[in-house]
């Protein structure tokens, strides 16, 4: 193939020759004018320009989308959460109001069937409470443990035996004149601390139980029981020894029996709290 034909073919394909064969050079070549080199823009400017190209849907001639616009997917608009139905948005308030209207049997049934939080998935039994529903002395604990979850009754493990002994020391028992319940009706997995949402969802059950029992004194043991009843986050040490109030009912704060099993010296303080609760009960009897 002649050199002239080759050049015509390359030119037709848009592939101009990048060199000239040495033998084609003349002995006295004419000066060759160099094509100026166009430098690329700085990297940041190039990136910005590319981003603008991708972001803007380019149009080819005739109003058709360019190949770049066809290849690059359009930017997906941000998803806006769908508005919840009014019934779901206000359901916690409606639920609390509904629980506040239940009588004792209906309240028991509601606790047994509750699925308001995730604890319903891991529990064996709900723990409603035990004792006389018209007792003048109410003991409020924190959450069921493994044995409570198995039997469906609060304070039946080692801490329960200690609580029974403490109550017996002031002539009280769950069989005769005390009602015992927990703030949470289901056991948290591995006996972890209750989560705030779990306490909040179980609180209407506690409030309705207290309202129906109408105790003369509440003996609150443990930090989470005290926080739920009094709405205060404070240590047991700073709250015990003083008389508190829950909706007109006196509250005596003390250590949880499970804590006392690990801290024997504080048993004497718990004994003082029991005497205070007993004395308060005598003052508030009709």
């Amino acid at each position: 193939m002649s050199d002239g034909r080759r050049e015509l073919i390359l030119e037709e394909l848009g592939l101009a020759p990048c060199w000239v064969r040495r033998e084609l050079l003349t002995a006295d070549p004419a000066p060759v004018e160099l094509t100026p080199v166009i430098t690329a823009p700085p990297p940041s400017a190039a990136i910005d320009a590319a981003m603008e190209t991708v972001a803007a849907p380019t149009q080819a001639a005739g109003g058709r989308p360019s190949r770049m616009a066809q290849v690059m997917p359009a930017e997906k608009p941000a998803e806006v959460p769908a508005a919840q139905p009014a019934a779901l948005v206000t359901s916690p308030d409606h639920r609390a109001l509904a629980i506040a209207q239940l009588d004792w049997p209906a309240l028991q049934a509601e606790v047994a069937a509750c699925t308001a939080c995730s604890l319903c998935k891991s529990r064996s039994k709900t723990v409603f409470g035990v004792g006389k529903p018209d007792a003048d002395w109410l003991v409020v604990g924190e959450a069921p443990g493994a044995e409570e979850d198995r039997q469906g009754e609060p304070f039946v493990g080692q801490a329960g035996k200690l609580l029974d002994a403490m109550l017996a020391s002031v002539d009280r028992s769950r069989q005769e004149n005390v009602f015992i319940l927990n703030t949470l009706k289901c056991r948290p997995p591995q006996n972890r601390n209750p989560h705030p949402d779990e306490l909040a969802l179980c609180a209407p059950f506690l409030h309705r139980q207290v309202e129906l029992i109408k105790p003369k004194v509440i003996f609150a043991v443990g930090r989470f029981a005290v926080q739920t009843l009094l709405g205060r986050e404070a240590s047991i040490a700073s709250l015990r020894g003083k008389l508190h109030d829950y909706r007109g009912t006196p509250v005596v704060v003390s250590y949880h029996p499970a804590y006392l099993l690990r801290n024997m010296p504080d048993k004497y303080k718990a004994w003082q709290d029991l005497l205070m609760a007993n004395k308060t009960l005598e003052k508030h009897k009709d």
Side-chain angles (χ1 to χ4, degrees), residues 260 262-270:
L260 295 176
R262 304 188 303 269
N263 299 272
M264 302 296 286
D266 284 332
K267 280 188 175 182
Y268 178 71
K269 297 177 182 178

Side-chain angles (χ1 to χ4, degrees), residues 11-23:
E11 182 177 357
E12 182 69 20
L13 295 174
L15 303 174
C18 356
W19 69 89
V20 179
R21 290 170 56 183
R22 182 181 300 273
E23 60 268 22

Side-chain angles (χ1 to χ4, degrees), residues 13 42 57 66 82 111 113 122 124 130 132 152 157 169 171 175 183 215 230 237 259:
L13 295 174
S66 69
V111 168
S122 58
S124 297
V130 65
K132 297 290 185 179
S169 68
D171 298 322
Q175 291 80 19
T183 305
L230 303 183
Y259 167 85

Side-chain angles (χ1 to χ4, degrees), residues 2-283:
S2 65
D3 292 338
R5 182 173 177 79
R6 181 182 294 107
E7 290 179 3
L8 289 174
I9 293 174
L10 292 176
E11 182 177 357
E12 182 69 20
L13 295 174
L15 303 174
C18 356
W19 69 89
V20 179
R21 290 170 56 183
R22 182 181 300 273
E23 60 268 22
L24 298 179
L25 295 176
T26 60
D28 188 15
V32 178
E33 184 177 355
L34 299 178
T35 304
V37 178
I38 302 175
T39 58
S44 60
I47 293 173
D48 291 342
M51 293 298 292
E52 290 178 1
T53 303
V54 173
T58 56
Q59 296 286 332
R64 294 174 56 189
S66 69
R67 182 173 180 81
M68 177 65 74
Q70 295 175 9
V71 173
M72 298 301 295
E75 183 178 356
K76 185 178 181 180
E79 295 183 1
V80 179
Q84 293 183 328
L88 294 180
V89 175
T90 59
S91 60
D93 291 336
H94 287 171
R95 175 176 174 271
L97 290 173
I99 292 174
Q101 306 302 317
L102 299 177
D103 59 15
W104 193 258
L107 186 62
Q108 286 181 297
E110 189 68 23
V111 168
C114 180
T115 57
C117 74
S118 61
L119 294 182
C120 67
K121 299 176 183 178
S122 58
R123 73 185 180 214
S124 297
K125 292 182 179 179
T126 56
V127 183
F128 182 79
V130 65
K132 297 290 185 179
D134 58 349
D136 52 11
W137 185 309
L138 175 63
V139 176
V140 179
E142 295 185 310
E147 194 62 23
E148 288 83 359
D149 177 68
R150 188 178 70 84
Q151 297 189 32
E153 183 175 328
F155 288 96
V156 293
Q158 292 300 314
K161 293 178 180 179
L162 177 56
L163 177 62
D164 287 341
M166 292 166 60
L167 293 173
S169 68
V170 289
D171 298 322
R172 294 278 156 181
S173 73
R174 66 178 75 196
Q175 291 80 19
E176 297 179 5
N177 48 20
V178 173
F179 195 89
I180 303 172
L181 56 82
N182 282 319
T183 305
L184 280 188
K185 310 308 179 189
C186 299
R187 178 199 180 201
Q190 288 78 50
N191 291 347
R192 62 162 171 76
N193 287 337
H195 292 164
D197 62 317
E198 296 165 353
L199 290 169
L201 288 169
C202 234
F205 292 137
L206 170 65
H207 299 322
R208 185 55 177 164
Q209 283 179 301
V210 177
E211 188 176 8
L212 291 172
I213 295 170
K214 297 182 176 64
K216 299 297 189 299
V217 65
I218 298 175
F219 192 65
V221 294
R223 177 165 58 100
F224 296 106
V226 173
Q227 287 179 5
T228 304
L229 286 170
L230 303 183
R232 298 173 56 185
E233 293 189 8
S235 66
I236 299 297
S238 66
L239 294 174
R240 59 167 301 275
K242 307 168 187 176
L243 199 61
H244 304 274
D245 178 86
Y246 169 80
R247 301 182 179 182
T249 302
V251 178
V252 175
V253 172
S254 190
Y255 297 107
H256 195 280
Y259 167 85
L260 295 176
L261 290 173
R262 304 188 303 269
N263 299 272
M264 302 296 286
D266 284 332
K267 280 188 175 182
Y268 178 71
K269 297 177 182 178
W271 164 248
Q272 292 178 318
D273 299 332
L274 283 167
L275 294 179
M276 181 179 180
N278 210 31
K279 184 177 180 180
T280 301
L281 177 61
E282 294 298 324
K283 289 182 178 180

